[in-house]
Amino acid sequence: MRVKVRLARRQGVALHRQLELAQPPVVGELEVTEHRDPALGRAVTLARLVNDKDRGVEVLPPLYDARLLWSHEQRMHPTGFERIDEAAYAQTWTVEVVSC
């Protein structure tokens, strides 16, 4: 599904709501799959935001161990952790569905 995403955290630290809303949304296709993670040695739920024209290109770091905190109407909040420069950080996305 095509969505707009805003990040709720920066390097694991929650952003103030005004800062979160001030950032421009990243648009792409939301994919949620199960993925075997060799670094963790187990399967994880993986949420990815990919380019809507070239599905192989991620436009945000994926969420590992993704779980849905809430969903209402055309909005949802998945949370998990992202990997940046070999470090893992807590991350939550604010997602708005653009179209299915």
Side-chain angles (χ1 to χ4, degrees):
M1 80 181 74
R2 191 159 194 261
V3 298
K4 294 180 187 178
V5 174
R6 285 186 171 89
L7 303 179
R9 299 175 180 273
R10 184 172 297 132
Q11 292 186 327
V13 178
L15 296 175
H16 189 278
R17 184 74 174 145
Q18 289 175 323
L19 288 175
E20 180 185 339
L21 293 174
Q23 60 185 311
V26 180
V27 179
E29 292 286 326
L30 177 63
E31 297 178 353
V32 179
T33 60
E34 186 175 67
H35 168 77
R36 176 124 182 104
D37 188 316
L40 295 173
R42 62 179 173 85
V44 296
T45 303
L46 187 69
R48 299 174 57 218
L49 187 67
V50 297
N51 184 302
D52 41 1
K53 293 185 178 46
D54 182 0
R55 292 252 173 132
V57 177
E58 293 175 342
V59 293
L60 285 176
L63 286 180
Y64 293 84
D65 278 342
R67 64 185 179 93
L68 188 60
L69 293 176
W70 61 263
S71 175
H72 181 70
E73 295 177 354
Q74 298 295 318
R75 299 183 62 217
M76 64 184 92
H77 266 314
T79 191
F81 70 91
E82 63 184 5
R83 290 184 177 132
I84 299 176
D85 297 329
E86 298 183 33
Y89 298 100
Q91 183 58 272
T92 302
W93 292 351
T94 299
V95 177
E96 180 183 341
V97 177
V98 177
S99 64
C100 294

